[in-house]
């Protein structure tokens, strides 16, 4: 009779649960039984592990073999348990000393030839192992850089099961045949999920890596100011205007003016993208704001997360700490759009399924873009639109009031005139200039909120704003009158004060004044208040 145990990690959303993998050998007819609430892909590991062990030069035990995954009440899925199952079986067969295996966490899929293939979710799995007190983890060689992001844990990257057996038994480590030059490494295919590349608009690199400069945007002074205020305070934006006016250009340039992620934020974002299979090879850490722009045909599950079995992160989680851009917003399904209300307020998504409850982070900056009517030419300044009024009302009603009430900034993007488009040398401020102001505004807000759990103005609850960080005397009078007239809701009044604090941080004021509140009101309601629409003019 032989017994051995080692550890693996089961992922539930972006959180991991350490699972003890136990192997027991008893005399009897040769059989392989896997218990512990495995799914289909994990049940199939029996054949993969058997072939990998034999092709790695070790003998498969011809006895009654039982492999248990504990705790048995936690659903387990995926192929990341292969390596732990193989080593537990070899420990029970005394090919490996069982005492060596008991304190090691193993993550990886096995090929039939014994190669160790990467799996998604290595970073959150290693984080779970470190939180549980484990000090050593074994991962595929190509995922070792991602696992090494977790401090205080020793990472061993292996390319094959033969190499791991040699390391655990103090034998000479065999050399693996190198791949042919010029051909992609087939092992790297396990790091990406098919259909989630850059062409889908769901990727972690975003627009910040491209040569996108705000100076390329012609005109649109109000929209540029709104984008700058959004980046400084983390406020949501609604851009409404005709086709070709620059709404998408502005949204694509927004990630470039956001501050770089802190180390903690980078680990949060990387964990989500690792689970989703979006980490690009060679860049294990996402350190810039992600950018996610799903197509308007996206379902509610694609936006907020879900799917069959254990839920997967959706677009709101892929845009965590970054930008979620919904172009042609009225074309999205109303049910999918209204599902955004809860994550906009809470900063996370809780998805309940029969297989369990999953919580995904979802603190993002949302940019909505829409045409004013189906033909896109409706305007208060001209009569080019041919849509009947009833059609215009139905089109604009696709965006519900409760959703728009959660958007801090609403800006009309005007037509670009011929003079603006053809004038030479008249470019707006560059991204580099705006980034400096945004960084300084974020630093002022962080210093003011240093003893609180919040870091940006958009996160501060309204009750705290009204009791601790109020505006100058009389500055909110016009906003309060708008509340009395019904032009603002109570939530809208709080959001005006938040935006006013962001404007004050951008221009260097200690407390929002009447001009700062007037600009915040104009950005919120679209009604001119007689204040300059350029941040530089307010300084």
């Amino acid at each position: 009779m032989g017994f051995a145990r080692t550890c693996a990690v089961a992922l539930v959303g972006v959180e991991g649960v350490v699972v003890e993998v136990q192997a027991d050998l008893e005399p009897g007819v040769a059989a392989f039984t896997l218990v512990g609430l495995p799914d289909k892909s994990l049940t199939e590991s029996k054949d993969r592990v058997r072939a990998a062990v034999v092709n790695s030069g070790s003998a498969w035990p011809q006895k009654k073999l039982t492999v248990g995954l504990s705790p048995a009440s936690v659903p387990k899925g995926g192929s990341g348990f292969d390596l732990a199952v193989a080593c537990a079986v070899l420990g029970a067969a005394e090919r490996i000393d069982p005492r060596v295996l008991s304190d090691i966490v193993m993550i990886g899929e096995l090929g039939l030839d014994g190669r160790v293939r990467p799996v998604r979710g290595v970073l959150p799995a290693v984080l779970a192992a470190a939180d549980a007190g484990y000090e050593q983890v074994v991962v595929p060689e190509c995922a070792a850089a991602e696992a090494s992001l977790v401090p205080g844990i020793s990472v061993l990257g292996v390319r094959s099961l033969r190499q791991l057996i040699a390391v655990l038994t103090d034998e000479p480590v065999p050399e693996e045949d190198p791949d042919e030059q010029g051909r992609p490494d087939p092992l790297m295919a396990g790091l990406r999920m098919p259909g989630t590349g850059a062409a889908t608009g769901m990727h972690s690199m975003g627009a910040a890596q491209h040569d996108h400069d705000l100076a390329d945007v012609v005109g649109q002074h109000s929209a540029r100011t709104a984008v700058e205020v959004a980046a400084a305070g983390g406020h949501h934006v609604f851009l409404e205007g005709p086709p070709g006016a620059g709404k998408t250009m502005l949204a694509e340039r927004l990630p470039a003016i956001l501050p770089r992620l802190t180390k903690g934020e980078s680990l949060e974002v990387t964990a989500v993208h690792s689970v989703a299979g979006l980490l690009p090879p060679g860049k294990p850490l996402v350190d810039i704001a992600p950018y996610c722009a799903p197509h308007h045909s996206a379902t509610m599950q694609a936006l907020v997360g879900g799917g069959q079995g254990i839920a997967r992160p959706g677009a709101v989680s892929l845009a965590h700490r970054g930008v979620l851009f919904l172009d042609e917003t009225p074309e999205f399904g109303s049910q999918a759009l209204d599902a955004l209300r809860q994550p906009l307020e809470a900063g996370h998504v809780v998805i309940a399924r029969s297989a369990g409850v999953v919580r995904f982070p979802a603190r993002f900056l949302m940019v909505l873009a829409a045409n004013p009517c189906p033909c896109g030419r409706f305007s208060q300044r001209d009569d080019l639109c041919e849509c009947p009024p009833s059609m215009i009302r139905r089109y604009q009603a696709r965006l519900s009031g409760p959703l728009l009430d959660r958007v801090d900034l609403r800006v009309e993007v005007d037509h670009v005139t011929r003079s603006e488009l053809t004038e030479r040398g008249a470019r707006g401020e560059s991204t580099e200039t705006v980034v400096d102001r945004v960084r300084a505004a974020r630093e002022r807000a962080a210093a003011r909120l240093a003893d609180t759990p919040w870091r940006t103005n958009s996160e501060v609850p309204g009750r705290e704003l009204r009791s601790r960080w109020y505006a100058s005397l009389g500055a909110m009078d016009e906003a309060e009158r708008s509340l009395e007239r019904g032009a603002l809701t109570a939530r809208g009044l709080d959001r005006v004060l938040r935006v006013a604090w962001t404007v004050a941080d951008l221009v260097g004021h200690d407390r929002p004044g009447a001009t700062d509140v007037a600009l915040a009101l104009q950005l919120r309601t679209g009604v001119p208040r007689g204040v300059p629409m350029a941040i530089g003019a307010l300084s």
Side-chain angles (χ1 to χ4, degrees):
M1 178 178 175
F3 177 83
R5 61 184 177 88
T6 187
C7 293
V9 177
L11 290 178
V12 182
V14 292
E15 300 176 355
V17 178
V18 176
V19 174
E20 188 176 75
V21 181
Q22 305 169 345
D24 177 69
L25 279 176
E26 296 179 355
V29 179
F32 188 172
T33 304
L34 182 64
V35 297
L37 208 58
D39 70 350
K40 181 66 174 177
S41 60
L42 184 51
T43 303
E44 292 176 347
S45 67
K46 296 187 290 185
D47 297 320
R48 289 195 303 269
V49 169
R50 182 187 291 108
V53 168
V54 173
N55 291 326
S56 298
S58 298
W60 183 259
Q62 297 300 317
K63 294 182 180 181
K64 182 181 179 182
L65 171 62
T66 303
V67 174
L69 308 176
S70 178
S73 59
V74 176
K76 305 167 190 69
S79 56
F81 292 84
D82 290 3
L83 198 59
V85 171
C87 288
V89 171
L90 292 175
E94 298 183 352
R95 175 68 177 86
I96 302 174
D97 188 352
R99 294 172 296 180
V100 177
L101 300 173
S102 58
D103 295 326
I104 302 178
V105 176
M106 300 185 181
I107 305 163
E109 175 187 336
L110 286 175
L112 300 183
D113 57 354
R115 290 183 300 172
V116 181
R117 304 180 61 91
V119 294
R120 294 184 293 272
V122 169
L123 177 60
V126 177
L127 284 170
D131 291 341
Y134 290 88
E135 299 179 352
Q136 188 172 7
V137 63
V138 178
V139 299
E141 184 182 59
C142 49
E146 179 184 348
S148 299
L149 297 173
V150 181
I153 194 164
S154 175
V155 177
L156 173 62
V158 295
R159 195 171 182 84
S160 68
L161 181 60
R162 290 193 307 152
Q163 288 184 339
L164 179 57
I165 294 173
V167 171
L168 296 177
T169 57
D170 293 329
E171 297 175 359
V173 179
E175 292 291 336
E176 296 293 335
D177 295 333
D179 294 322
E180 296 182 21
Q181 294 294 329
R183 297 187 61 184
D185 187 351
L187 296 183
M188 300 303 289
L191 288 174
R192 297 189 66 84
M193 182 186 299
T196 52
T200 63
M202 299 183 182
H203 50 97
S204 57
M205 294 300 100
Q209 273 203 336
H210 303 289
D211 189 18
H212 287 169
D213 197 322
L214 272 175
D216 299 333
V217 181
V218 177
Q220 310 302 354
H221 303 294
S222 299
R224 289 170 58 95
T225 299
V227 167
E228 181 177 347
V229 172
H235 306 287
H236 307 303
V237 191
F238 177 37
L239 303 175
E240 184 179 30
K247 301 185 294 295
T248 302
M249 289 184 67
L250 287 164
E252 289 177 343
R253 282 151 181 78
L254 180 54
I257 63 177
L258 290 174
R260 296 188 76 89
L261 303 179
T262 64
K263 184 62 179 295
E265 292 171 344
S266 295
L267 290 177
E268 291 178 9
V269 175
T270 303
V272 175
H273 286 256
S274 177
V275 170
L278 291 175
L279 284 183
K283 188 173 178 61
L285 182 67
V286 180
D287 57 356
I288 62 176
Y291 175 80
C292 186
H295 190 260
H296 59 74
S297 62
T299 62
M300 184 175 66
Q301 289 77 13
L303 281 181
V304 301
Q308 295 181 350
I310 298 178
R312 292 189 177 276
V316 297
S317 298
L318 298 178
H320 180 58
R321 302 294 181 184
V323 176
L324 175 67
F325 177 47
L326 302 182
D327 198 6
E328 305 294 345
T329 310
E331 302 298 335
F332 282 79
S334 59
Q335 186 180 16
L337 288 177
D338 288 336
L340 298 176
R341 298 183 196 175
Q342 187 262 347
L344 285 174
E345 290 289 333
H348 62 266
V349 175
V350 177
I351 302 173
R353 293 290 186 270
S354 59
V357 179
V358 176
R359 183 182 187 273
F360 291 117
R363 188 167 297 282
F364 54 91
L365 195 162
M366 183 177 68
V367 180
L368 305 178
N371 297 325
C373 67
C375 76
R377 294 179 292 181
F378 175 74
S379 174
Q380 302 293 339
R381 300 179 178 84
D382 52 51
D383 55 355
L384 298 175
C385 177
E386 299 178 354
C387 301
S390 59
M391 183 180 294
I392 297 175
R393 286 195 300 269
R394 284 196 303 269
Y395 187 80
Q396 295 179 349
R398 294 180 183 179
L399 301 181
S400 67
L403 176 64
L404 290 180
D405 196 42
R406 289 167 167 81
V407 178
D408 300 342
L409 313 173
R410 306 175 192 175
V411 183
E412 183 177 350
V413 183
D414 299 325
H415 287 283
V416 179
T417 64
R418 176 183 176 183
S419 60
E420 290 175 332
L421 197 60
T422 58
E423 187 177 1
R424 297 184 179 180
R427 303 181 71 192
E429 291 180 316
S430 66
T431 295
E432 185 178 357
T433 303
V434 176
V435 162
D436 293 337
R437 284 203 299 264
V438 170
R439 184 185 302 112
R442 289 263 184 152
E443 290 173 355
R444 292 190 186 100
R448 182 173 64 251
L449 304 172
D451 59 343
T452 70
W454 313 295
R455 289 296 173 265
T456 60
N457 294 321
S458 62
E459 300 174 7
V460 183
R463 63 180 184 278
E464 298 290 339
L465 285 172
R466 294 188 296 271
S467 61
R468 298 177 59 181
W469 296 293
Y470 41 84
S472 300
L473 184 64
M476 292 292 292
D477 290 348
E478 182 63 29
E480 292 169 356
R481 284 194 289 269
S482 297
L483 175 66
E484 293 176 352
R485 293 194 302 266
L488 282 178
T489 63
R491 180 193 288 121
L493 184 66
D494 290 340
R495 292 183 179 276
V496 168
L497 183 53
R498 289 174 185 158
V499 175
W501 267 109
T502 301
V503 174
D505 289 334
L506 282 169
V507 300
H509 295 167
D510 294 334
R511 192 175 294 277
T515 304
D516 302 325
V517 176
L519 179 56
L521 266 174
Q522 183 167 334
L523 291 173
R524 170 78 182 181
T525 63
V527 178
R529 305 283 174 171
V531 294
M533 285 302 295
I535 295 297
L538 297 176
S539 302

